[in-house]
Amino acid sequence: MALSLKGRTVLVIGRGSGIARAVVLAAQSEGANVVVAGRDREALRDAYDDPGIEVEEVDLNDDASIAALAERLGEIDHLVSTASARARGHLAELDRRAVLHSFDTKVVGPIMLAKYFSGRIAEGGSFTLFSGVAAFKPVVGYLGVAATNGAADFLTRSLALEMGPVRVNAISPGVIDTGIWDSLGEEEKKAYFENLRAANPARRIGTVDDISAAVLFAMTNASLTGVTLRVDGGEPLT
């Protein structure tokens, strides 16, 4: 059964760009009342500049901040956490603090969100978190990212049992053209994307709209829980 988002309150935690922004705009287009939250409230306010989008502040590395947000918002219908802190690098280069920060943001943060929003998510509601393709296709240089994403994937199933009947699912994107790859430089980014496009069974690079569509599906499918939706073009098959 497909549930309607019209008039429902959707809380999206993340930045004012990329995947988080696509999710916010997609939920709003479906008639949801959207609340965005992140560490920099003013930056979020500037990014959205829309009186119809409520802006809040939260730090997923701070339990008191999460608890305060839950208290301020009261009951919500859907919770989406896109926050991440990537610990990239080869084994010899990995920094303990970076790895711990990655886990704290993408695994412990959602656990604490579940804790403090437990009992505040309305009937028919959901919690959607994010894993990632590195959990299913290890690549040298992404050990910290893979371990974090793998933990988020497992967490999804555990939370689905703990939080039922609230539905808990995860989205696992492949390589998405969000702008984070621009740091490679135009030519190197183009070559990287072309190699991926040629190898992936879907023969394309994912977009933020692909991911936001998966989040909407996770929020509105009444029988979907404990599932990681792998929106990755089939990259782990290569």
Side-chain angles (χ1 to χ4, degrees):
M1 181 177 73
L3 304 172
S4 173
L5 291 181
K6 188 172 183 179
R8 302 298 184 183
T9 299
V10 176
L11 169 60
V12 180
I13 296 172
R15 300 176 181 176
S17 60
I19 289 172
R21 184 179 184 85
V23 172
V24 167
L25 298 181
Q28 188 183 45
S29 73
E30 293 295 315
N33 301 316
V34 183
V35 182
V36 297
R39 286 184 298 179
D40 192 336
R41 186 175 184 178
E42 291 308 312
L44 281 177
R45 195 184 305 279
D46 292 342
Y48 289 104
D49 192 26
D50 183 339
I53 296 175
E54 184 180 344
V55 179
E56 283 282 356
E57 185 174 337
V58 71
D59 182 350
L60 292 194
N61 306 129
D62 182 344
D63 287 6
S65 175
I66 297 170
L69 176 65
E71 187 67 28
R72 288 195 304 273
L73 293 182
E75 187 176 86
I76 63 172
D77 295 282
H78 301 281
L79 171 56
V80 182
S81 178
T82 71
S84 67
R86 297 176 181 87
R88 292 195 182 101
H90 291 73
L91 181 60
E93 304 163 348
L94 279 178
D95 177 80
R96 176 183 289 269
R97 287 171 299 179
V99 175
L100 289 174
H101 186 49
S102 176
F103 268 79
D104 197 22
T105 302
K106 202 168 185 177
V107 181
V108 180
I111 291 173
M112 294 299 106
L113 282 170
K115 174 182 177 178
Y116 290 107
F117 277 90
S118 180
R120 296 179 183 272
I121 298 178
E123 182 179 352
S126 70
F127 180 19
T128 304
L129 51 150
F130 273 72
S131 177
V133 69
F136 308 103
K137 186 182 180 182
V139 176
V140 173
Y142 285 80
L143 187 156
V145 177
T148 302
N149 287 341
D153 170 62
F154 190 85
L155 173 61
T156 299
R157 296 187 289 280
S158 295
L159 285 180
L161 287 174
E162 291 256 359
M163 296 184 72
V166 171
R167 295 174 295 103
V168 184
N169 296 290
I171 309 300
S172 176
V175 172
I176 305 296
D177 190 4
T178 61
I180 63 171
W181 301 100
D182 294 349
S183 60
L184 294 175
E186 186 175 348
E187 290 304 315
E188 189 173 346
K189 174 185 171 180
K190 181 179 179 181
Y192 178 59
F193 276 18
E194 283 302 322
N195 287 336
L196 279 176
R197 184 181 291 111
N200 281 359
R203 301 292 191 269
R204 64 190 294 273
I205 298 296
T207 69
V208 294
D209 290 336
D210 295 331
I211 307 306
S212 65
V215 175
L216 289 187
F217 178 69
M219 287 194 286
T220 59
N221 189 299
S223 289
L224 191 74
T225 194
V227 171
T228 296
L229 294 173
R230 292 160 60 171
V231 191
D232 54 24
E235 185 178 339
L237 302 175
T238 62

